[in-house]
Amino acid sequence: MNTKHVGQIGLGAVGYHFAGHLLKHFGALMVYDIDPSRIDRVRGLGATPAGDVRAVAARCDTILLSLPNPGAVRDVLTGSGRLLDAARAGMLLIDCSTIDPETSRWANGECVAKQVRYVEAPVTSAAPGGGGTEGAKAGNVTFLVGGDDAAVRDAAPVFELLGERYQHLGLVGAGSIMKLVTNHVSGVITLAVAEGLVLAAAAGFPADQSLDVMKHSVADNYVLDHIMAPRLRSDDYEPGFAVDLMHKDHVLAGELGEKLTVPLPFNRLAAAVFQMMRAQGLGGRDHAFCARFLADLARVDLVAGGKLD
């Protein structure tokens, strides 16, 4: 991997922390985001802002993408961004976006046509504190990687810099599939934990007591300990991992289930609940806010326990 010219496109909650790590290691980083305030924030760390994505492609040999959805990836590569029009042969594109496998395979095909090497690498984490923003900040994420062996070997130094481990799961598409599987499971568990807490609160048990009981029971799980409990106790629901993104991932997992003729009834329910939250203007809150949302629907005091008048 040529480490002299590194760029990043997408500076959201996770991308911001990735940019900080890349800057500290390489000493320079060219960045772009459609939100100027995000560029300004990373410029304050020492990054060089680019006027558009083509400027990043023209200057950089390795580019990290951290984008919110499949449409954004398509737009950056061949839509209004036209990154691939400016890319040089041999450039390495590491896509950390959570997207569907069809979009990953499409992106790989477009890159191959331009002699650009493409590696998909969506992120997850099982470290204390949760994945998402906190994992990116701590540098303990896991990359779920799809791509050919040579490109993945060249991308490995970036994975080792930004995360704790990476798993090469196969060709492009494999990483995206497993990321949707993990987020499907995480979202369903999050809602199950939230429902249990609300049910206990309606019966008079305060959240702290319920969390302690569940932790020492068959209901104990990673989401309870490292996502829900810290959020409830701090009353801090800033992402984190936003409701908008969790909803998007459940929709993508559902589409994958349709293609593979796998029924996913719990996925449908989870997507519906997160969509309800989005309809109430809660899409920017951390997905753990679902406990508060369900408590409000039930007229329950989640923290103190008991029904509200």
Side-chain angles (χ1 to χ4, degrees), residues 206-243:
D208 259 342
Q209 186 175 13
S210 298
L211 289 167
D212 186 62
V213 169
M214 292 169 74
K215 180 176 176 58
H216 296 91
S217 76
V218 293
D220 189 30
N221 61 81
Y222 177 87
V223 170
L224 174 78
D225 296 337
H226 298 293
I227 296 177
M228 190 65 75
R231 294 293 186 183
L232 273 174
R233 286 172 173 149
S234 66
D235 197 30
D236 179 5
Y237 296 97
E238 293 305 311
F241 190 68
V243 169

Side-chain angles (χ1 to χ4, degrees), residues 19-42:
H21 294 315
L22 291 171
L23 272 166
K24 287 179 183 177
H25 185 79
F26 295 119
L29 180 70
M30 179 170 277
V31 298
Y32 179 77
D33 193 284
I34 59 172
D35 184 342
S37 68
R38 293 178 176 176
I39 296 177
D40 288 342
R41 189 182 182 205
V42 177

